[in-house]
Amino acid sequence: MLANYHADNIPTRFSHPLVDEAKDSLMNAVSYLDAKERADVLRACHFGDMAHIKDKRKSGEPYITHPIAVAEILAGFLLDRDSIIAAILHDTVEDTEVTDELVASEFGETVARLVDGVTKLKSGNMSKQQSQAATFHKILNATLIDPRVLIIKLSDRLHNMSTMDAVREEKQKSTARETLDFYVPFARIMGLNDIADYIELLCYRNLNPVMYNKFNDKLLQHGLGRNFQKIEISTYLQNLLGHLNLKGHVQVLDNRTSMYRQFFKNRGQANRLIRQYDFEVVLEDIGACDKLAYHLIQKFEIADRNIQDNIRKPLAGGNQSLSLIYKKDYNFIKVTLMTARMKEASRLGVLGNSKNDISQSVIQASLRNMKDLAAVEGEDAETSLKVINELMSYLHERKIVCYSPQGRAYELPRGATALDFAYAVGPAVGNIATGADINGEHGKLGLVLADGDTVSIDIDKNATPKADWLGFVATNKARNEILKFLKRLPHDQKEHYGKEALMRALKPYDKTLDDLSEQDWADILAWRGVASQSDIFLQIATGTLLPQLVVSRLFSEEVDVADGAEITQTKHLLAGIKGVEITFAKCCNPMYGDSIVGHLSARQGLTVHRHKCYSLENISVENPYQVIQLNWKSDIKLDHTNSVGQLHFPATLKIHAMLNEEQMSQAIYELRDLNIGIEQTSVKADEKSGGGVGATFIQVVVRSRAHLEEGIMKLRQVLGYPSIMRLYQMPT
């Protein structure tokens, strides 16, 4: 195939008119490169054309038109010569006789490394899941070395997603799901938001064409009105700049991705979504941003919840801006204020040149977390699967960004504590932490942090980790470092640490070890299946047993005697919790699959709450050590198709539509068909609207969060895709 490749004699016409068309378009797009670099790009096109000379796309087009189109996407970001050439050659090593060595000799080691980074691993004897995980793992490691690998892969995915008409429907959906699960959140973490937006929109189109077209039709119906509103609002904002003597420009943003995301993820009513408008105002400096923001806040009485100042403290992904949302004439207007440098950073993310920007500091915090995930010994399929499972959890978890007093950013999962922050700074700090100052106020290490908090850790060089810390830390890094310390202790010190941890756990309830009777100890020893108090202390010191659970056992009046494998009650679904009194909170109605925590009290034992339950807010501040992290057993398979003898959880749904009798009957039929029980229904009109607008409430019984989500999706399909919310409780 490469016999017709001549580096010094590039033909004026390539193998096919479509290839010539693609090549000419690319050469126009790379006009920003110098003459020698453009010559190398042209040579790469010829090389790729010859390498793929026998290859065709599903549509019948010459295959090389795809990688050339990928390179043109990168040219839109004004990327360098090596990135452009790597994009042209990105499938040569995987699909042709071309080798890494040949690419390196023709175009340089950097190009060869980039091509290798985006090349899929050969599956060999691996399962499909293992092969996918190994490829993701390879892309992750390559990206951490050179972020250009990711944007090449994203551009490849963008072009593939936009040309999938010739691909079978199942493949379209699986590719869209894979892209939404891995590539889109990965891109956003790296700050590559522009390309992520385009890919995400294409994912929705391929994932569910019917749902996509439903909302697209809505946008087309209101297209003229939306265009009028955009012009009117942007004109007002531009005139306002002149009135305030500010230099800058207003841009109408394409907010389709945001609207489709909300529609697909059931986060808004279609009739409200089409009244959302996004504008970007680029100003000279931060002072100008503040001045314009102050004027808009005063004029439109914008509530604090609709003000997001991420100029001083950027979001995860490095997004640095000040955004305001206000309502005017039934329209919801979002205005994002930023400087030119912030705009450039938001466009290029990790590829940006200014490494000193605060936005880059946040991206670097994400990179540190991903490097920790990737730093696992071994390159086998099982190792890759473990790493990618953890990475998927990381990419999809809600994140907060907190700062040291010096302004260094640390990215943490939502629900992380001051102690998690201490270990994010480093084990040398976490291991000797004694307290924390949060936004200038002293707090305990177990206090849950909020996005944007500034945290200073109090340390004592004589302090050491405590076994009871394991009950409230939220990050694996903190947990692993605490366990590492405890496991290194000599046997006698382990016993001492466990004893002290149990004493601290008893203290909030005005109890000491001396208060425990012989009967109490006999019960605890029988519960844990050990012979002595020393064994209990050792279990606590090695992380096998939380001291808080010992306290809960002492307060338990009704003790479950089921063995570890038997699951006959909902509490048996909890991991690592056995033999203590457990109740599920009525204030938030947690169910299997929710993120959960446990609240320990002398009166009720261990109560399971949803992670963000409002009733825990004061407790988390005043007595954070009484709230412990809980997890569900991960290997449980609940049968959603069988309603007999199954565990169940209550939930309340609010449908943003007043269903008539026929619609209600249809809704009940569809839910029961999915083995979802119906407890109660009601339809309530909004009194403020005069009775024409309202909502429908349905109290249901389900097996799990996934079961409930299945029911919500079915209801949206049959009812015309209204917004459906899960409430904490049934309204009175």
Side-chain angles (χ1 to χ4, degrees):
M1 290 184 287
L2 287 172
N4 294 322
Y5 166 69
H6 303 289
D8 299 325
N9 185 22
I10 299 174
T12 55
R13 296 291 179 192
F14 282 19
S15 63
H16 192 282
L18 289 176
V19 181
D20 286 326
E21 182 181 332
K23 176 257 299 180
D24 292 341
S25 182
L26 172 61
M27 294 312 296
N28 288 331
V30 296
S31 59
Y32 59 89
L33 297 177
D34 64 36
K36 184 179 184 308
E37 291 172 330
R38 291 198 302 274
D40 287 342
V41 171
L42 183 61
R43 182 162 58 89
C45 289
H46 176 42
F47 183 96
D49 189 23
M50 293 299 98
H52 289 291
I53 193 69
K54 294 182 180 180
D55 300 331
K56 302 289 184 184
R57 303 199 78 201
K58 293 285 186 182
S59 62
E61 298 170 298
Y63 189 83
I64 189 59
T65 58
H66 161 64
I68 291 177
V70 172
E72 187 171 350
I73 292 171
L74 292 177
F77 291 90
L78 305 182
L79 289 193
D80 60 288
R81 171 253 190 207
D82 291 341
S83 300
I84 301 297
I85 294 175
I88 297 169
L89 307 180
H90 77 267
D91 279 331
T92 54
V93 175
E94 183 179 334
D95 296 334
T96 76
E97 65 186 26
V98 172
T99 63
D100 290 329
E101 293 75 19
L102 181 56
V103 172
S105 66
E106 284 291 328
F107 300 100
E109 293 288 345
T110 301
V111 171
R113 188 181 71 246
L114 292 172
V115 170
D116 179 66
V118 297
T119 300
K120 290 181 182 178
L121 288 173
K122 301 296 183 183
S123 58
N125 296 323
M126 293 186 288
S127 67
K128 183 177 180 181
Q129 184 184 27
Q130 289 173 330
S131 178
Q132 182 189 56
T135 297
F136 286 172
H137 192 192
K138 182 182 179 184
I139 292 171
L140 170 63
N141 283 321
T143 298
L144 294 175
I145 295 170
D146 191 332
R148 290 177 294 181
V149 168
L150 180 59
I151 198 167
I152 293 170
K153 190 64 182 178
L154 291 172
S155 300
D156 174 36
R157 190 53 63 106
L158 173 59
H159 188 255
N160 276 330
M161 293 292 296
S162 64
T163 57
M164 295 190 75
D165 292 343
V167 179
R168 67 183 190 278
E169 183 179 343
E170 295 81 5
K171 178 65 174 176
Q172 291 180 21
K173 292 181 184 296
S174 65
T175 301
R177 174 50 56 198
E178 176 189 90
T179 305
L180 272 178
D181 285 346
F182 180 72
Y183 291 105
V184 170
F186 195 3
R188 296 204 184 281
I189 283 291
M190 303 297 278
L192 301 170
N193 294 294
D194 282 1
I195 194 168
D197 278 348
Y198 281 102
I199 296 174
E200 186 176 346
L201 195 59
L202 290 169
C203 285
Y204 296 135
R205 190 181 76 177
N206 288 283
L207 193 63
N208 191 331
V210 173
M211 194 171 179
Y212 181 90
N213 290 329
K214 174 85 175 179
F215 191 71
N216 190 56
D217 290 345
K218 198 83 171 176
L219 285 176
L220 289 174
Q221 292 168 17
H222 295 266
L224 290 176
R226 282 179 56 81
N227 287 338
F228 176 80
Q229 292 291 342
K230 289 174 185 177
I231 293 171
E232 185 178 66
I233 298 167
S234 61
T235 300
Y236 164 75
L237 291 171
Q238 193 66 56
N239 291 338
L240 182 58
L241 294 185
H243 174 71
L244 297 175
N245 295 317
L246 298 174
K247 292 182 179 180
H249 64 272
V250 178
Q251 181 178 348
V252 181
L253 296 181
D254 181 356
N255 65 338
R256 286 179 302 161
T257 301
S258 173
M259 290 191 292
Y260 275 96
R261 182 188 306 127
Q262 292 175 78
F263 184 65
F264 267 73
K265 294 190 175 183
N266 188 27
R267 293 178 182 168
Q269 300 166 259
N271 288 333
R272 172 171 171 163
L273 293 177
I274 60 171
R275 300 201 308 274
Q276 290 182 0
Y277 301 92
D278 286 18
F279 299 86
E280 183 179 83
V281 184
V282 180
L283 298 162
E284 285 187 312
D285 52 40
I286 294 175
C289 294
D290 290 339
K291 184 176 181 179
L292 179 56
Y294 178 79
H295 179 89
L296 291 172
I297 291 169
Q298 296 300 310
K299 180 175 178 60
F300 295 104
E301 299 179 346
I302 302 175
D304 288 345
R305 66 178 180 276
N306 292 326
I307 303 170
Q308 196 166 18
D309 184 358
N310 298 118
I311 286 182
R312 285 93 182 159
K313 296 177 178 179
L315 295 168
N319 298 331
Q320 191 178 13
S321 62
L322 196 164
S323 62
L324 311 168
I325 299 176
Y326 64 92
K327 186 177 179 181
K328 183 176 185 296
D329 300 333
Y330 300 102
N331 292 322
F332 297 88
I333 301 162
K334 180 178 180 180
V335 181
T336 301
L337 313 178
M338 61 177 62
T339 66
R341 191 169 66 172
M342 293 173 196
K343 181 176 175 61
E344 185 68 8
S346 70
R347 190 176 72 90
L348 291 175
V350 72
L351 299 175
N353 295 321
S354 180
K355 300 300 182 185
N356 294 321
D357 283 353
I358 190 171
S359 61
Q360 282 293 332
S361 172
V362 175
I363 293 173
Q364 292 304 315
S366 301
L367 284 171
R368 290 195 299 272
N369 284 341
M370 286 190 285
K371 285 177 180 175
D372 287 342
L373 288 174
V376 177
E377 294 183 3
E379 297 183 358
D380 57 286
E382 288 302 319
T383 299
S384 293
L385 195 58
K386 177 184 177 183
V387 170
I388 292 307
N389 284 338
E390 290 182 358
L391 178 64
M392 288 294 195
S393 297
Y394 165 76
L395 291 176
H396 290 275
E397 71 187 5
R398 294 193 179 181
K399 300 173 181 65
I400 62 173
V401 178
C402 298
Y403 297 84
S404 70
Q406 294 75 33
R408 181 173 173 131
Y410 293 89
E411 183 188 78
L412 298 164
R414 190 180 69 174
T417 64
L419 185 57
D420 290 297
F421 180 91
Y423 277 104
V425 175
V429 175
N431 284 342
I432 59 173
T434 58
D437 290 319
I438 302 165
N439 302 323
E441 295 185 10
H442 188 69
K444 298 177 181 178
L445 288 172
L447 192 66
V448 175
L449 300 176
D451 194 29
D453 280 348
T454 297
V455 184
S456 175
I457 300 297
D458 301 329
I459 58 174
D460 180 345
K461 64 181 181 180
N462 296 317
T464 55
K466 310 293 188 293
D468 36 324
W469 287 358
L470 293 168
F472 61 80
V473 290
T475 59
N476 287 332
K477 182 175 183 178
R479 178 176 297 277
N480 291 338
E481 291 294 341
I482 296 166
L483 286 172
K484 187 188 300 182
F485 172 85
L486 294 173
K487 287 178 180 179
R488 287 175 179 170
L489 292 172
H491 186 277
D492 58 332
Q493 286 192 37
K494 285 181 181 176
E495 186 176 335
H496 174 70
Y497 268 73
K499 185 175 183 179
E500 283 194 330
L502 183 53
M503 290 169 62
R504 285 190 296 271
L506 287 165
K507 189 175 180 180
Y509 307 96
D510 296 323
K511 298 281 187 181
T512 69
L513 287 177
D514 294 335
D515 294 323
L516 302 190
S517 66
E518 289 186 8
Q519 182 59 44
D520 288 333
W521 275 114
D523 178 64
I524 292 170
L525 297 179
W527 167 49
R528 298 302 299 176
V530 296
S532 68
Q533 295 180 21
S534 295
D535 293 329
I536 294 294
F537 298 145
L538 285 173
Q539 286 191 353
I540 292 172
T542 54
T544 306
L545 173 64
L546 289 177
Q548 294 94 328
L549 290 182
V550 178
V551 175
S552 184
R553 172 73 181 195
L554 291 168
F555 294 144
S556 296
E557 295 180 2
E558 298 180 11
V559 178
D560 179 34
V561 295
D563 63 38
E566 189 178 355
I567 297 180
T568 57
Q569 300 179 45
T570 52
K571 62 184 178 182
H572 297 157
L573 296 169
L574 295 168
I577 308 295
K578 178 185 173 185
V580 298
E581 185 178 358
I582 298 172
T583 56
F584 286 79
K586 300 298 184 184
C587 52
C588 57
N589 290 311
M591 66 177 62
Y592 183 74
D594 284 338
S595 294
I596 52 172
V597 294
H599 173 224
L600 293 162
S601 68
R603 186 167 55 88
Q604 293 182 310
L606 181 65
T607 304
V608 181
H609 291 261
R610 288 166 69 178
H611 179 74
K612 291 292 287 183
C613 180
Y614 61 88
S615 68
L616 293 180
E617 289 180 0
N618 291 333
I619 296 170
S620 297
V621 173
E622 296 170 5
N623 297 293
Y625 303 134
Q626 292 182 9
V627 179
I628 64 173
Q629 300 292 325
L630 294 178
N631 293 292
W632 302 100
K633 293 177 180 176
S634 59
D635 56 347
I636 302 300
K637 295 188 182 300
L638 298 178
D639 185 3
H640 297 165
T641 63
N642 180 12
S643 60
V644 179
Q646 291 287 314
L647 308 179
H648 60 270
F649 301 89
T652 300
L653 300 180
K654 178 182 179 181
I655 304 172
H656 287 270
M658 295 177 66
L659 302 188
N660 57 35
E661 289 186 8
E662 182 179 349
Q663 290 172 316
M664 184 70 82
S665 297
Q666 178 71 11
I668 292 173
Y669 172 81
E670 297 293 347
L671 290 175
R672 285 179 174 164
D673 189 52
L674 294 173
N675 285 305
I676 294 177
I678 312 297
E679 296 275 301
Q680 183 181 348
T681 64
S682 64
V683 180
K684 296 184 179 181
D686 184 353
E687 296 178 358
K688 295 180 181 178
S689 67
V693 178
T696 301
F697 300 88
I698 304 180
Q699 192 168 352
V700 298
V701 176
V702 296
R703 312 286 177 256
S704 66
R705 183 185 179 96
H707 194 201
L708 180 65
E709 289 172 350
E710 185 182 2
I712 290 173
M713 177 55 73
K714 188 64 178 180
L715 286 181
R716 295 194 75 206
Q717 289 174 354
V718 300
L719 297 175
Y721 298 101
S723 175
I724 302 177
M725 297 172 57
R726 173 189 171 192
L727 303 182
Y728 277 80
Q729 296 174 320
M730 190 76 170
T732 55

